Amino acid sequence: MKNIVLIGMPGVGKSTIGVILAKELGYQFVDADLLIQEQEKRLLKEIISEEGIEGFIAIENQVNASIEADRTVIATGGSVVYGKEAMEHLGEIATVIYLKLSYKALRKRLGNLKNRGVVLRDGQTLKDLYEERVVLYEKYADITIDEENKNLEETLQSIIDTL
Ligand SMILES: Nc1ncnc2c1ncn2[C@@H]1O[C@H](COP(=O)(O)OP(=O)(O)O)[C@@H](O)[C@H]1O
Ligand SMILES: O=C(O)C1=C[C@@H](OP(=O)(O)O)[C@@H](O)[C@H](O)C1
Ligand SMILES: [Mg+2]
């Protein structure tokens, strides 16, 4: 068991912080986005453009629901919380940590959303997405880490202190 799953909006640092956290803890590191690409033999942006948002979410759900891990930090994609089976499974095998950042700070950090391949429905703004997602991140989090005004090292330290 003893796994850690990072959830949160795109750009909060799940991938960047996840790999350093794994090193600090002596754990393995898995980025669920890369597992999806490996299974599909396609890039995330290709999956999204070829299957549509709902198709991508279904694939993401299936891949995350099948992860087997031990002493591993798992960085998820921001949209994983739309997958019920994925979140039930991750909740069983790991402590789920929500990396939380305010909308304002996130908007500054994200820059061009399109380049990130965020799962944004037609007409949906980043603010809409933020409000829709926060409820889900809070629902599934065992631990919430507030990143506001913290640099990467400070966020990492907060996580380690909390564990
Ligand atoms: N305090 C911070 N914590 C985490 N990442 C930060 C911070 N400040 C700036 N960044 C930058 O934000 C980006 C986070 O991207 P990434 O790790 O891919 O996020 P995610 O996997 O959550 O989408 C990186 O470019 C990172 O350098
Ligand atoms: O939040 C999202 O809609 C997405 C976030 C991405 O991962 P990161 O959260 O690691 O950026 C990736 O899974 C996909 O492009 C969709
Ligand atoms: Mg990531």
Side-chain angles (χ1 to χ4, degrees):
M1 151 78 173
K2 280 216 170 163
N3 297 295
I4 292 169
V5 162
L6 301 179
I7 62 171
M9 289 292 285
V12 294
K14 303 178 295 296
S15 300
T16 316
I17 291 173
V19 70
I20 307 171
L21 178 64
K23 249 175 148 177
E24 292 273 330
L25 298 174
Y27 276 24
Q28 289 293 319
F29 173 71
V30 164
D31 195 310
D33 279 346
L34 301 187
L35 295 182
I36 297 170
Q37 294 199 146
E38 195 175 294
Q39 171 180 301
E40 293 297 309
K41 307 276 181 261
R42 291 181 281 177
L43 300 179
L44 296 181
K45 62 183 177 192
E46 292 170 342
I47 305 172
I48 294 170
S49 80
E50 288 164 22
E51 310 297 334
I53 287 174
E54 295 312 323
F56 173 76
I57 287 171
I59 292 169
E60 182 175 40
N61 186 32
Q62 173 262 314
V63 170
N64 279 276
S66 317
I67 292 178
E68 284 182 29
D70 185 40
R71 292 174 62 83
T72 301
V73 176
I74 302 163
T76 58
S79 46
V80 72
V81 287
Y82 295 127
K84 189 169 174 290
E85 289 77 12
M87 293 314 298
E88 279 172 7
H89 174 67
L90 295 174
E92 277 167 18
I93 65 161
T95 301
V96 178
I97 300 182
Y98 166 32
L99 298 182
K100 177 181 167 182
L101 192 60
S102 69
Y103 168 72
K104 229 175 127 188
L106 188 74
R107 193 185 49 190
K108 231 192 226 167
R109 173 114 41 106
L110 270 181
N112 189 340
L113 265 187
K114 288 253 150 58
N115 289 346
R116 273 203 161 252
V118 172
V119 165
L120 206 56
R121 293 177 180 82
D122 276 348
Q124 200 173 31
T125 63
L126 178 62
K127 179 105 174 125
D128 297 333
L129 192 79
Y130 186 90
E131 282 166 3
E132 174 182 290
R133 295 249 185 115
V134 160
V135 184
L136 297 169
Y137 297 136
E138 285 174 353
K139 171 179 166 185
Y140 290 117
D142 296 313
I143 295 170
T144 298
I145 299 288
D146 193 347
E147 270 191 16
E148 209 68 21
N149 301 317
K150 289 195 185 88
N151 63 26
L152 209 144
E153 284 74 25
E154 289 165 337
T155 301
L156 185 65
Q157 197 54 51
S158 297
I159 298 173
I160 290 168
D161 291 346
T162 312
L163 289 172

